[in-house]
Amino acid sequence: MVDNGHNQPTQGEVPEDANEHCPGTQSEAAGKSDACKGCPNQEVCATAPKGPDPDLVAIAERMATVKHKILVLSGKGGVGKSTFSAQLSFALAGMGLQVGLLDIDICGPSIPKMLGLEGQDIHQSSLGWSPIYLESNLGVMSVGFMLPHPDEAVIWRGPRKNGLIKQFLKDVDWGELDYLVVDAPPGTSDEHISIAQYLLATGVDGAVVVTTPQEVALADVRKEISFCRKVGIRVLGVVENMSGLRQPLAGFRFVRPGDGADVTDWAMDYIRERAPELLALEGCAEVFAASRGGALGMCRDMHVPFLGKVPLDPQLCRAAEEGRSCFEDQRCAASAPAIREIVEKLLAAGDATQ
């Protein structure tokens, strides 16, 4: 345990949900002191090895060939974090950069589906585990590739999750990468503590936090930002996803009030005959109420960068379901430009740190 002059552990050694007077995860008393009773981390702390982790040297050596490392976090599930991680990786690879996408959402690995890689198997060589390559410059690693069936439940305790994350970092042969994008599970759990501990020593650019506009999501994002500050990870910025529904008028389905009968064909014929210029317009609607200014207002209050808004685009949802890039054609006309603008801001932030 690091002594800060007051016989208390440094913040980086104390889990987010620890009890008051936590002795620190590296203390010999971890999981055994009176202060540990009832703590959700007690079993993990009591059984985890203490002192310097010898695997950190192996992780540092493996990560030495990775120029930039970006964590993608969210306070809640269901905000589109994995969709953003996948499309961020597609965008970076589309710029000719060497990209790795690491999925550490152990219990809910959705990255294989979002990149159209379901059913692939991991191969091992003398250099370590080989990523699954979607393109020559986009490699992917996920626990989803290790499951016998995509519907298989992963029921693991913290130490086993941490062990797999460590293996992903020290045993995967990423080669020379410009960017490693890490898709983390929602919240501030064991996986987050582990990835922060393992990557901080190797140099991590920071974290992108994904949210939706409503306050119920932003409340958890504030905790995520607090977590990043406590463990020493820079917040690169916040993305407001699903920021209002937006799609061309021709993409809407029309129903009759009352009985819900589908009258799309009639409505579209009517528009084509009477007002065809309307077909060039996009329909917009606020799906989630941003009662306190949404993500932008939160960023101002917490003094973190706001990266931008991505509209709720049905075409982006289809791209994620089909495992393809939203940049490959013009179908994601509402969301692709917004994501590209966010990616450009991240690239500029990365250049500024060099």
Side-chain angles (χ1 to χ4, degrees), residues 40-62:
N41 307 294
Q42 184 174 11
E43 182 181 351
V44 174
C45 291
T47 57
K50 307 300 186 293
D53 187 342
D55 285 330
L56 291 180
V57 175
I59 291 173
E61 290 175 352
R62 188 69 82 174

Side-chain angles (χ1 to χ4, degrees), residues 141-347:
M141 182 57 67
S142 169
V143 70
F145 298 135
M146 302 176 176
L147 301 179
H149 191 276
D151 295 332
E152 189 82 15
V154 179
I155 307 173
W156 290 2
R157 292 187 182 274
R160 192 173 179 190
K161 292 180 182 179
N162 297 342
L164 182 59
I165 292 171
K166 185 184 291 185
Q167 275 192 287
F168 279 159
L169 293 176
K170 73 183 182 71
D171 292 341
V172 176
D173 179 27
W174 294 106
E176 300 279 343
L177 287 183
D178 293 302
Y179 279 88
L180 177 66
V181 178
V182 181
D183 182 50
T188 53
S189 56
D190 283 345
E191 294 95 317
H192 302 81
I193 297 170
S194 296
I195 199 72
Q197 176 188 357
Y198 301 149
L199 286 186
L200 276 173
T202 71
V204 57
D205 290 50
V208 175
V209 184
V210 181
T211 185
T212 49
Q214 75 271 42
E215 185 57 33
V216 68
L218 292 171
D220 288 330
V221 167
R222 292 184 180 92
K223 299 172 186 174
E224 198 79 39
I225 292 172
S226 174
F227 168 83
C228 289
R229 287 173 171 166
K230 286 184 177 182
V231 299
I233 292 177
R234 176 188 174 201
V235 178
L236 297 173
V238 174
V239 173
E240 184 177 280
N241 197 27
M242 308 183 195
S243 185
L245 173 66
R246 181 177 165 185
Q247 73 167 345
L249 188 64
F252 281 91
R253 187 171 67 90
F254 296 87
V255 297
R256 188 167 55 207
D259 61 4
D262 191 324
V263 293
T264 303
D265 290 342
W266 171 84
M268 294 308 298
D269 289 343
Y270 188 92
I271 292 171
R272 290 189 190 99
E273 292 174 6
R274 307 291 182 91
E277 63 274 12
L278 293 181
L279 295 176
L281 301 180
E282 290 184 340
C284 302
E286 295 301 325
V287 179
F288 301 114
S291 58
R292 293 172 56 183
L296 178 59
M298 182 204 67
C299 288
R300 288 171 177 163
D301 293 341
M302 300 197 73
H303 306 290
V304 295
F306 178 66
L307 293 174
K309 299 182 178 183
V310 179
L312 180 56
D313 180 0
Q315 290 296 335
L316 177 60
C317 299
R318 291 190 182 97
E321 282 290 308
E322 296 168 7
R324 56 181 172 83
S325 168
C326 71
F327 307 104
E328 67 181 18
D329 52 38
Q330 301 301 313
R331 283 183 280 180
C332 298
S335 54
I339 296 174
R340 193 178 297 279
E341 185 175 338
I342 290 169
V343 172
E344 289 171 355
K345 289 181 181 179
L346 287 173
L347 288 172

Side-chain angles (χ1 to χ4, degrees), residues 8-9 14-24 33-40:
Q8 293 293 322
V14 178
E16 177 76 5
D17 53 354
N19 289 349
E20 190 177 2
H21 307 304
C22 170
S33 74
D34 291 341
C36 299
K37 292 180 180 178
C39 177

Side-chain angles (χ1 to χ4, degrees), residues 68 70 84 86-99 135-138 178-179 181 325-328 336-348 351:
H68 298 282
I70 295 177
F84 180 79
Q87 297 303 326
L88 169 60
S89 301
F90 276 129
L92 294 171
M95 295 174 181
L97 299 168
Q98 292 290 330
V99 182
E135 303 288 348
S136 60
N137 64 333
L138 176 53
D178 293 302
Y179 279 88
V181 178
S325 168
C326 71
F327 307 104
E328 67 181 18
I339 296 174
R340 193 178 297 279
E341 185 175 338
I342 290 169
V343 172
E344 289 171 355
K345 289 181 181 179
L346 287 173
L347 288 172
D351 291 340

